[in-house]
Amino acid sequence: MTQLRVLPPRTASRRDFLAGCAGCAALAACPGFAHAPQAPASEKARVRLVFTHPGRKIEGWPYLGYDYETRKKELTSRLTTACPNVELLPVTAPAAEDARKVLEGDGEVDGYVVYILGIPSGGARPILASGRPVVLVDDLYGGTGQFLGAYAEARRKNLRVAGVSSTRFEDVAQAVKSFEVIKRLRSSVILDVLDREPGGEAKAIQEVFGTAVRKVTSQELNDAYRKVDQAEAQRSAQSWIKGAKKIIEPSREEIGRSGVMYVAMRDLMKQHNAQAIAMDCLRLFYDGKLPAYPCLGFFQLNNDGLVGACEADLQSTISMLLMTYLAGRPGFISDPVIDTARNQVIYAHCVAPTKVYGPNGPGSPYHIRNHSEDRKGAAVRALLPLGEMTTTLKFAPSRKEVILHQGRTVANIDEDKACRTKLAVEVRDIHKLFDEWDRWGWHRVTYYGDLRQPVEAISALLGFKLVAEG
């Protein structure tokens, strides 16, 4: 449950953010994105749009004689245009008994948007109390008195309610689009490449999000590796070589093997209609079960709008998939390092995207290096944009929690120790970042942009508790 707030300067505008989200549906036209997840018309999220207000002859806010019908038509039209993958079902419920009748006939809807247009009115509270996911909206200077009380009560009771109280219409549309993301997750597939049994997080992901997690063994991956179109694999490798600002350790042959691994992973994803792949990469490579590291392949998948996640970390994988749908941007999974002297957290890993604003955005320069821990294979050192706000998070489905902190990028650290990409971010209070690593593990996933508002909204609708760190 969250009340959306105004973004600080230097962040992407709401218009830019929504354009990025809308771009998710158009990404299939991009090279390498031919089997990206889409939301077909038959799979649109179905959302009941409930307007509640008094009669025109009742004194109150906004004023006696207010034209509610024109306002409802305007809002319905704007939301329909802004949320093309959400099917809106408008209805008016002036009083509590009207809202209860709406609930009785709504077994198939995915959630509710409740617009309080005026007071006194009573249609909001029964829907909030139903336990269904609700976006509650105050039409400012119309429903404020009821919104404030009803939303505060919903938060206190931990109901699945996201609140919007803003003059900026894009804030409402952004929250409503959360229903589309939740719907997409239910039809998505994650491939988990490992030779051991997956932990309990796989089951939790399927139960909480409806996302299928399918185990794939190293043998199956190697079978796909042997069947790869070699010419296509080498084209990928040559593209990485051409795009790199510098190649330091890996030979062209090693980069070529990474190209084969990339196409093998992509072919497996296409075979299973998967939108994400995670891999127990370190253990499998150290045990001699992988002919190449997947790092460059993950780099390419993430740049293209799909998800490649390291070390079979399913919490990070589902976080990356959810945020790909929500923000249209790739995540940078990392092992954070904390430097109290500089009030910085340094996100370090050997895989990083370079198209941090999405597949259609500009790319950052990068070096091709070997993998840090064993000095083998091929990996990426990305030189990422500085002076930008970032949002770092991870969802824990088994606990229904999401952890989040934010900061501003200040440096690309050049240090030979540890992982290749090292992005330094300055946070408000570095000491608050020491408290949660025993419960959440080392990994976090970083996104460019101030994305706290959309994360808060979708977390509320999913019934997740947000844990703020840093």
Side-chain angles (χ1 to χ4, degrees), residues 311-377:
E311 299 172 58
D313 179 354
L314 289 179
Q315 284 188 355
S316 293
T317 307
I318 192 64
S319 301
M320 294 167 77
L321 185 60
L322 185 156
M323 292 299 294
T324 293
Y325 293 160
L326 186 67
R329 295 180 175 189
F332 171 31
I333 183 174
S334 75
D335 298 326
V337 176
I338 293 176
D339 183 351
T340 58
R342 293 183 171 87
N343 205 47
Q344 292 176 2
V345 54
I346 300 94
Y347 307 119
H349 235 225
C350 286
V351 171
T354 53
K355 293 200 169 187
V356 295
Y357 304 107
N360 293 324
S364 300
Y366 64 93
H367 301 163
I368 299 180
R369 303 288 312 266
N370 58 16
H371 194 270
S372 177
E373 283 90 340
D374 59 1
R375 305 290 158 131
K376 295 180 180 178

Coordinates of all heavy atoms in Angstrom, one line a residue, residues 311-377:
E311 N 24.0 -17.4 -11.2 CA 24.1 -18.2 -10.0 C 22.8 -18.9 -9.6 O 22.6 -19.2 -8.4 CB 24.7 -17.5 -8.9 CG 26.1 -17.0 -9.2 CD 26.7 -16.1 -8.2 OE1 26.8 -16.5 -7.0 OE2 27.0 -14.9 -8.5
A312 N 21.9 -19.1 -10.5 CA 20.6 -19.7 -10.2 C 19.9 -19.0 -9.1 O 19.1 -19.7 -8.3 CB 20.7 -21.2 -9.9
D313 N 20.0 -17.7 -9.0 CA 19.4 -16.9 -7.9 C 18.0 -16.6 -8.4 O 17.7 -15.6 -9.1 CB 20.2 -15.7 -7.6 CG 19.5 -14.8 -6.6 OD1 18.4 -15.1 -6.1 OD2 20.2 -13.8 -6.2
L314 N 17.0 -17.4 -7.9 CA 15.6 -17.2 -8.4 C 14.9 -16.0 -7.8 O 14.1 -15.4 -8.4 CB 14.8 -18.5 -8.1 CG 15.2 -19.7 -8.9 CD1 14.3 -20.9 -8.5 CD2 15.0 -19.4 -10.4
Q315 N 15.3 -15.5 -6.6 CA 14.8 -14.3 -6.1 C 15.2 -13.1 -7.0 O 14.3 -12.3 -7.4 CB 15.3 -14.0 -4.7 CG 14.6 -14.8 -3.6 CD 15.0 -14.4 -2.2 OE1 15.8 -13.5 -2.0 NE2 14.4 -15.0 -1.2
S316 N 16.4 -13.1 -7.4 CA 16.9 -12.0 -8.3 C 16.2 -12.2 -9.7 O 15.9 -11.2 -10.3 CB 18.4 -12.0 -8.4 OG 19.0 -11.6 -7.2
T317 N 16.0 -13.4 -10.1 CA 15.5 -13.7 -11.4 C 14.0 -13.2 -11.5 O 13.7 -12.5 -12.5 CB 15.5 -15.2 -11.8 OG1 16.8 -15.7 -11.6 CG2 15.0 -15.4 -13.2
I318 N 13.2 -13.5 -10.5 CA 11.8 -13.0 -10.6 C 11.8 -11.5 -10.4 O 10.9 -10.9 -11.0 CB 10.9 -13.8 -9.5 CG1 9.4 -13.5 -9.8 CG2 11.3 -13.4 -8.1 CD1 8.9 -14.0 -11.1
S319 N 12.7 -11.0 -9.6 CA 12.8 -9.5 -9.5 C 13.0 -8.9 -10.8 O 12.4 -7.9 -11.2 CB 13.8 -9.1 -8.5 OG 13.6 -9.7 -7.2
M320 N 14.0 -9.4 -11.6 CA 14.4 -8.9 -12.9 C 13.2 -9.0 -13.9 O 12.9 -8.1 -14.6 CB 15.6 -9.6 -13.4 CG 16.9 -9.3 -12.5 SD 18.2 -10.4 -12.9 CE 18.8 -9.7 -14.5
L321 N 12.5 -10.2 -13.8 CA 11.4 -10.3 -14.8 C 10.3 -9.4 -14.4 O 9.7 -8.7 -15.3 CB 10.9 -11.8 -14.7 CG 9.8 -12.2 -15.7 CD1 10.3 -12.0 -17.1 CD2 9.4 -13.6 -15.4
L322 N 9.9 -9.3 -13.2 CA 8.8 -8.3 -12.8 C 9.2 -6.9 -13.2 O 8.4 -6.2 -13.8 CB 8.6 -8.4 -11.3 CG 7.5 -7.6 -10.6 CD1 7.0 -8.3 -9.3 CD2 7.8 -6.2 -10.4
M323 N 10.4 -6.5 -12.9 CA 10.8 -5.1 -13.2 C 11.0 -4.9 -14.7 O 10.8 -3.7 -15.2 CB 12.1 -4.8 -12.5 CG 11.9 -4.7 -11.0 SD 10.7 -3.4 -10.4 CE 11.6 -1.9 -10.9
T324 N 11.3 -5.9 -15.5 CA 11.3 -5.8 -16.9 C 10.0 -5.4 -17.5 O 9.8 -4.5 -18.3 CB 11.8 -7.1 -17.6 OG1 13.2 -7.3 -17.3 CG2 11.7 -7.0 -19.1
Y325 N 8.9 -6.1 -16.9 CA 7.6 -5.8 -17.3 C 7.1 -4.4 -16.8 O 6.4 -3.7 -17.5 CB 6.6 -6.8 -16.8 CG 6.8 -8.2 -17.4 CD1 6.3 -9.3 -16.7 CD2 7.4 -8.4 -18.6 CE1 6.4 -10.6 -17.2 CE2 7.5 -9.7 -19.1 CZ 7.0 -10.8 -18.5 OH 7.1 -12.0 -19.0
L326 N 7.5 -4.1 -15.6 CA 7.0 -2.9 -14.9 C 7.7 -1.6 -15.5 O 7.0 -0.6 -15.7 CB 7.3 -3.0 -13.4 CG 6.7 -1.9 -12.6 CD1 5.2 -1.9 -12.6 CD2 7.2 -2.0 -11.1
A327 N 9.0 -1.7 -15.7 CA 9.8 -0.5 -16.0 C 10.3 -0.5 -17.5 O 10.8 0.6 -17.9 CB 10.9 -0.3 -15.1
G328 N 10.3 -1.7 -18.1 CA 10.9 -1.7 -19.5 C 12.4 -1.5 -19.5 O 12.9 -1.1 -20.5
R329 N 13.1 -1.8 -18.4 CA 14.5 -1.6 -18.2 C 15.1 -2.9 -17.6 O 14.5 -3.6 -16.9 CB 14.8 -0.4 -17.3 CG 14.3 0.9 -17.9 CD 14.6 2.0 -17.0 NE 14.3 3.3 -17.7 CZ 14.6 4.5 -17.2 NH1 15.2 4.6 -16.1 NH2 14.2 5.6 -17.9
P330 N 16.4 -3.2 -18.0 CA 17.1 -4.4 -17.4 C 17.7 -4.1 -16.1 O 18.0 -2.9 -15.7 CB 18.2 -4.6 -18.5 CG 18.6 -3.2 -19.0 CD 17.3 -2.5 -19.0
G331 N 17.8 -5.1 -15.3 CA 18.4 -5.0 -14.0 C 19.8 -5.5 -14.0 O 20.3 -6.3 -14.8
F332 N 20.6 -4.9 -13.1 CA 22.0 -5.3 -12.9 C 22.1 -6.0 -11.6 O 22.1 -5.5 -10.5 CB 22.9 -4.0 -12.9 CG 24.3 -4.2 -12.5 CD1 25.0 -5.4 -12.8 CD2 25.0 -3.1 -11.9 CE1 26.3 -5.5 -12.4 CE2 26.3 -3.3 -11.5 CZ 27.0 -4.5 -11.7
I333 N 22.2 -7.4 -11.7 CA 22.4 -8.2 -10.5 C 23.8 -8.1 -10.0 O 24.7 -8.1 -10.8 CB 22.0 -9.7 -10.8 CG1 22.1 -10.5 -9.6 CG2 22.8 -10.2 -11.9 CD1 21.5 -12.0 -9.8
S334 N 24.0 -8.0 -8.7 CA 25.4 -7.7 -8.2 C 25.6 -8.2 -6.8 O 24.7 -8.6 -6.1 CB 25.7 -6.2 -8.2 OG 25.0 -5.6 -7.1
D335 N 26.9 -8.3 -6.5 CA 27.4 -8.5 -5.1 C 27.8 -7.2 -4.5 O 29.0 -6.7 -4.8 CB 28.6 -9.5 -5.1 CG 28.2 -10.9 -5.6 OD1 27.1 -11.3 -5.4 OD2 29.1 -11.5 -6.3
P336 N 27.0 -6.5 -3.8 CA 27.4 -5.1 -3.3 C 28.5 -5.1 -2.3 O 28.7 -6.0 -1.5 CB 26.1 -4.6 -2.7 CG 25.0 -5.4 -3.3 CD 25.6 -6.8 -3.5
V337 N 29.4 -4.1 -2.4 CA 30.5 -3.8 -1.5 C 30.2 -2.4 -0.8 O 29.7 -1.5 -1.5 CB 31.8 -3.7 -2.2 CG1 32.9 -3.3 -1.3 CG2 32.1 -5.1 -2.9
I338 N 30.4 -2.3 0.5 CA 30.0 -1.1 1.2 C 31.3 -0.3 1.6 O 32.2 -0.9 2.2 CB 29.2 -1.4 2.4 CG1 27.8 -1.9 1.9 CG2 29.0 -0.1 3.3 CD1 26.9 -2.3 3.1
D339 N 31.4 0.9 1.2 CA 32.5 1.8 1.6 C 32.0 3.0 2.4 O 31.5 4.0 1.9 CB 33.2 2.3 0.3 CG 34.4 3.2 0.6 OD1 34.7 3.5 1.7 OD2 35.1 3.5 -0.4
T340 N 32.1 2.8 3.7 CA 31.6 3.9 4.6 C 32.4 5.2 4.5 O 31.8 6.3 4.8 CB 31.7 3.4 6.1 OG1 33.0 3.0 6.5 CG2 30.7 2.2 6.3
A341 N 33.7 5.1 4.1 CA 34.5 6.3 4.0 C 33.9 7.3 3.0 O 34.0 8.5 3.1 CB 35.9 6.0 3.7
R342 N 33.3 6.7 1.9 CA 32.7 7.6 0.9 C 31.2 7.6 0.8 O 30.6 8.1 -0.1 CB 33.3 7.1 -0.5 CG 34.8 7.3 -0.7 CD 35.2 6.8 -2.1 NE 36.6 7.2 -2.4 CZ 37.6 6.5 -2.1 NH1 37.5 5.3 -1.5 NH2 38.8 6.9 -2.4
N343 N 30.6 6.9 1.8 CA 29.1 6.8 1.8 C 28.6 6.2 0.5 O 27.6 6.6 0.0 CB 28.5 8.2 2.0 CG 27.1 8.1 2.7 OD1 26.9 7.4 3.7 ND2 26.1 8.8 2.1
Q344 N 29.3 5.1 0.1 CA 29.0 4.5 -1.2 C 28.7 3.0 -1.0 O 29.3 2.3 -0.2 CB 30.1 4.7 -2.2 CG 30.3 6.1 -2.6 CD 31.5 6.3 -3.5 OE1 32.2 5.3 -3.8 NE2 31.8 7.5 -3.9
V345 N 27.9 2.5 -1.9 CA 27.7 1.1 -2.1 C 28.2 0.8 -3.5 O 27.8 1.6 -4.5 CB 26.3 0.6 -1.9 CG1 25.3 1.3 -2.7 CG2 26.2 -0.9 -2.2
I346 N 29.0 -0.2 -3.7 CA 29.6 -0.5 -5.1 C 29.0 -1.8 -5.5 O 29.2 -2.9 -4.9 CB 31.1 -0.6 -5.0 CG1 31.7 0.7 -4.6 CG2 31.7 -1.0 -6.4 CD1 32.0 0.8 -3.1
Y347 N 28.2 -1.8 -6.6 CA 27.6 -3.0 -7.1 C 28.6 -3.6 -8.1 O 28.9 -3.1 -9.1 CB 26.3 -2.6 -7.9 CG 25.4 -1.7 -7.0 CD1 25.0 -0.5 -7.4 CD2 24.9 -2.2 -5.8 CE1 24.1 0.3 -6.7 CE2 24.0 -1.5 -5.1 CZ 23.6 -0.2 -5.5 OH 22.8 0.6 -4.7
A348 N 29.0 -4.9 -7.7 CA 30.0 -5.6 -8.5 C 29.5 -6.9 -9.0 O 29.0 -7.7 -8.3 CB 31.2 -5.8 -7.5
H349 N 29.8 -7.1 -10.3 CA 29.5 -8.4 -10.9 C 30.1 -8.5 -12.3 O 30.5 -7.5 -12.9 CB 28.0 -8.7 -11.1 CG 27.5 -9.9 -10.4 ND1 26.7 -10.8 -11.0 CD2 27.9 -10.4 -9.2 CE1 26.5 -11.8 -10.1 NE2 27.2 -11.6 -9.0
C350 N 30.2 -9.7 -12.8 CA 30.8 -9.9 -14.1 C 29.8 -9.9 -15.3 O 30.1 -10.2 -16.4 CB 31.6 -11.2 -14.2 SG 33.2 -11.1 -13.2
V351 N 28.5 -9.7 -14.9 CA 27.5 -9.5 -15.9 C 26.8 -8.2 -15.6 O 26.5 -7.9 -14.5 CB 26.4 -10.6 -15.9 CG1 25.2 -10.3 -16.8 CG2 27.0 -12.0 -16.3
A352 N 26.6 -7.4 -16.7 CA 25.9 -6.1 -16.5 C 25.3 -5.7 -17.9 O 25.9 -6.0 -18.9 CB 26.8 -5.0 -16.0
P353 N 24.1 -5.2 -17.9 CA 23.6 -4.7 -19.2 C 24.3 -3.3 -19.5 O 24.8 -2.7 -18.6 CB 22.1 -4.4 -18.8 CG 22.1 -4.1 -17.4 CD 23.2 -4.9 -16.8
T354 N 24.2 -3.0 -20.7 CA 24.7 -1.6 -21.1 C 23.6 -0.7 -21.6 O 23.7 0.5 -21.7 CB 25.8 -1.7 -22.2 OG1 25.3 -2.5 -23.3 CG2 27.1 -2.4 -21.7
K355 N 22.4 -1.3 -21.9 CA 21.2 -0.5 -22.3 C 20.3 -0.4 -21.1 O 19.3 -0.9 -21.0 CB 20.5 -1.2 -23.5 CG 21.3 -1.2 -24.8 CD 20.4 -1.4 -26.0 CE 21.2 -1.1 -27.3 NZ 20.3 -1.1 -28.4
V356 N 20.8 0.4 -20.1 CA 20.2 0.5 -18.8 C 18.8 1.3 -18.9 O 18.0 1.2 -18.0 CB 21.1 1.2 -17.8 CG1 22.3 0.3 -17.5 CG2 21.5 2.6 -18.2
Y357 N 18.5 2.0 -20.0 CA 17.3 2.6 -20.2 C 16.3 1.8 -21.0 O 15.2 2.3 -21.4 CB 17.5 4.0 -20.8 CG 18.4 4.9 -20.0 CD1 19.7 5.2 -20.5 CD2 18.1 5.4 -18.8 CE1 20.6 5.9 -19.8 CE2 19.0 6.2 -18.0 CZ 20.2 6.4 -18.5 OH 21.1 7.2 -17.8
G358 N 16.6 0.6 -21.4 CA 15.8 -0.3 -22.1 C 16.3 -0.5 -23.5 O 17.3 0.1 -24.0
P359 N 15.8 -1.6 -24.2 CA 16.3 -2.0 -25.5 C 16.4 -0.9 -26.6 O 17.3 -0.9 -27.4 CB 15.4 -3.1 -25.9 CG 14.8 -3.6 -24.7 CD 14.7 -2.4 -23.7
N360 N 15.5 0.1 -26.5 CA 15.5 1.1 -27.5 C 16.3 2.4 -27.1 O 16.4 3.3 -27.8 CB 14.1 1.5 -27.8 CG 13.3 0.4 -28.5 OD1 13.9 -0.3 -29.3 ND2 12.0 0.3 -28.2
G361 N 16.9 2.3 -25.9 CA 17.7 3.4 -25.4 C 19.1 3.4 -25.8 O 19.6 2.4 -26.5
P362 N 19.9 4.4 -25.4 CA 21.3 4.4 -25.8 C 22.1 3.3 -25.0 O 21.7 2.9 -23.9 CB 21.7 5.8 -25.4 CG 20.8 6.2 -24.3 CD 19.5 5.5 -24.6
G363 N 23.2 2.9 -25.6 CA 24.1 1.9 -24.9 C 25.3 2.6 -24.3 O 25.7 3.6 -24.8
S364 N 25.8 2.0 -23.3 CA 27.0 2.5 -22.6 C 28.2 1.7 -23.2 O 28.1 0.6 -23.6 CB 26.9 2.3 -21.1 OG 25.8 2.9 -20.6
P365 N 29.4 2.3 -23.1 CA 30.6 1.6 -23.5 C 30.9 0.4 -22.6 O 30.5 0.4 -21.4 CB 31.7 2.7 -23.4 CG 31.1 3.8 -22.6 CD 29.7 3.7 -22.7
Y366 N 31.6 -0.5 -23.1 CA 32.0 -1.7 -22.3 C 33.3 -2.3 -22.7 O 33.7 -2.1 -23.9 CB 30.9 -2.8 -22.3 CG 30.6 -3.4 -23.7 CD1 31.3 -4.6 -24.1 CD2 29.8 -2.8 -24.6 CE1 31.1 -5.1 -25.4 CE2 29.6 -3.3 -25.9 CZ 30.2 -4.5 -26.2 OH 30.0 -5.0 -27.5
H367 N 34.0 -3.0 -21.8 CA 35.1 -3.8 -22.1 C 34.8 -5.3 -22.0 O 33.9 -5.7 -21.2 CB 36.2 -3.5 -21.0 CG 36.7 -2.1 -21.0 ND1 37.4 -1.6 -19.9 CD2 36.5 -1.0 -21.9 CE1 37.6 -0.3 -20.1 NE2 37.1 0.0 -21.3
I368 N 35.4 -6.1 -22.8 CA 35.3 -7.6 -22.6 C 36.5 -8.0 -21.8 O 37.7 -7.8 -22.2 CB 35.2 -8.3 -24.0 CG1 34.0 -7.8 -24.7 CG2 35.2 -9.8 -23.8 CD1 33.7 -8.4 -26.1
R369 N 36.2 -8.6 -20.7 CA 37.3 -9.1 -19.8 C 37.1 -10.6 -19.6 O 36.1 -11.2 -20.0 CB 37.2 -8.4 -18.4 CG 37.2 -6.9 -18.4 CD 38.7 -6.4 -18.7 NE 39.7 -7.1 -17.9 CZ 40.2 -6.6 -16.7 NH1 39.7 -5.5 -16.2 NH2 41.1 -7.3 -16.1
N370 N 38.0 -11.3 -18.9 CA 37.7 -12.6 -18.4 C 36.9 -12.6 -17.1 O 36.7 -11.5 -16.5 CB 39.0 -13.4 -18.2 CG 40.0 -12.8 -17.2 OD1 39.6 -11.9 -16.5 ND2 41.2 -13.2 -17.3
H371 N 36.4 -13.7 -16.7 CA 35.7 -13.8 -15.5 C 36.6 -13.6 -14.3 O 37.7 -14.2 -14.3 CB 34.9 -15.2 -15.4 CG 33.9 -15.2 -14.3 ND1 34.1 -15.6 -13.0 CD2 32.6 -14.9 -14.4 CE1 33.0 -15.5 -12.3 NE2 32.0 -15.1 -13.1
S372 N 36.2 -12.9 -13.3 CA 37.2 -12.4 -12.3 C 37.7 -13.5 -11.4 O 38.9 -13.7 -11.2 CB 36.5 -11.4 -11.4 OG 37.4 -11.0 -10.4
E373 N 36.8 -14.4 -10.8 CA 37.2 -15.3 -9.8 C 38.3 -16.3 -10.3 O 39.2 -16.6 -9.6 CB 36.0 -16.1 -9.2 CG 35.2 -15.3 -8.2 CD 34.1 -14.5 -8.9 OE1 34.1 -14.3 -10.2 OE2 33.1 -14.1 -8.2
D374 N 38.1 -16.8 -11.5 CA 39.0 -17.9 -11.9 C 39.9 -17.4 -13.1 O 40.7 -18.2 -13.7 CB 38.3 -19.2 -12.3 CG 37.2 -18.9 -13.4 OD1 37.1 -17.8 -13.9 OD2 36.5 -19.9 -13.7
R375 N 39.7 -16.2 -13.6 CA 40.4 -15.6 -14.7 C 40.3 -16.4 -16.0 O 41.2 -16.6 -16.7 CB 41.9 -15.4 -14.3 CG 42.1 -14.6 -13.0 CD 41.8 -13.2 -13.3 NE 41.4 -12.4 -12.1 CZ 41.9 -11.2 -11.8 NH1 42.8 -10.7 -12.5 NH2 41.5 -10.6 -10.7
K376 N 39.1 -16.9 -16.2 CA 38.8 -17.7 -17.4 C 37.6 -17.1 -18.1 O 36.9 -16.3 -17.5 CB 38.5 -19.2 -17.0 CG 39.8 -19.9 -16.4 CD 39.4 -21.3 -16.1 CE 40.6 -22.1 -15.5 NZ 40.3 -23.5 -15.1
G377 N 37.3 -17.6 -19.3 CA 36.1 -17.3 -20.0 C 36.1 -15.8 -20.5 O 37.1 -15.2 -20.6

